Amino acid sequence: MDALLIALLGCLLGEMGDKSQFLVLALATRYDRNGAVIAGVIVAAIANAAISAFAGAWVGPMLGGEARLLFMALSILFLGAGLLWRVSKPDPLEGWRTGAFLTTALGLFILGFGDGPQFLILGIATRTADPILAGIGGAIGMIAALVPVVVARHQLLAVLPMRAIRWTGGAILLVTGAVMALSATGLL
């Protein structure tokens, strides 16, 4: 159960104020079809989480206990550093003529591929014995961060203190990842 909760909270935090939210905001405003955009968000989140969980289940048995802990620590450090990094708004995919669902699903899948939340799911799936729960938690976390943007549009991003959320979350994740990395290397 810890794999589910850590992935859920980490991915929720990792998506706050990220490029994915800005892309979803642009697509929801452009298409004005909430159901199709939300369906695209769900498909992209599940696809990215499934790939990460599968890769973690495949890589995990090849690594020793300390290496798995170090791998997870590095994924947490990567996500924490990403939260401190300045976010540039992504291409709103205006040249795509594929419709609301497909544009959202493909755009978010491509944008999320190799992003911090995907690496976090990979790290958790590598470390724990429950890669499926890590994938489920990560998908729920991404969906929980992106769907309210579709429904509330500009109001949500204007009300939430995104900079404070990103900086505080980044600092917490960097400290947590550093402690885990020091523990994995035997320095702590």
Side-chain angles (χ1 to χ4, degrees), residues 7-181:
L8 189 149
L9 294 175
C11 289
L12 176 66
L13 180 62
E15 291 291 348
M16 295 303 289
D18 198 32
K19 296 176 289 194
S20 300
Q21 280 191 329
F22 291 120
L23 178 62
V24 168
L25 175 65
L27 294 174
T29 304
R30 173 178 157 198
Y31 288 110
D32 200 27
R33 294 187 53 214
N34 289 355
V37 173
I38 290 171
V41 165
I42 292 170
V43 167
I46 290 172
N48 275 332
I51 289 171
S52 300
F54 176 77
W58 180 61
V59 170
M62 295 182 212
L63 303 174
E66 290 82 17
R68 286 194 305 265
L69 180 60
L70 184 60
F71 193 86
M72 184 170 164
L74 290 174
S75 70
I76 290 172
L77 285 169
F78 179 71
L79 183 61
L83 285 173
L84 298 178
W85 203 267
R86 184 179 175 101
V87 176
S88 60
K89 294 189 180 183
D91 175 24
L93 309 176
E94 290 178 6
W96 290 28
R97 304 287 178 225
T98 55
F101 169 74
L102 199 55
T103 301
T104 303
L106 290 175
L108 278 178
F109 177 76
I110 292 167
L111 188 63
F113 201 75
D115 201 16
Q118 192 176 38
F119 277 115
L120 180 67
I121 296 168
L122 176 65
I124 295 168
T126 301
R127 174 78 173 121
T128 66
D130 297 321
I132 293 172
L133 288 179
I136 291 170
I140 292 170
M142 287 186 273
I143 291 166
L146 297 175
V147 168
V149 175
V150 176
V151 177
R153 303 267 199 289
H154 295 285
Q155 293 87 0
L156 182 69
L157 296 179
V159 170
L160 291 177
M162 288 299 173
R163 179 172 283 181
I165 291 171
R166 291 181 62 82
W167 283 53
T168 304
I172 291 169
L173 289 172
L174 286 174
V175 169
T176 303
V179 169
M180 289 176 72

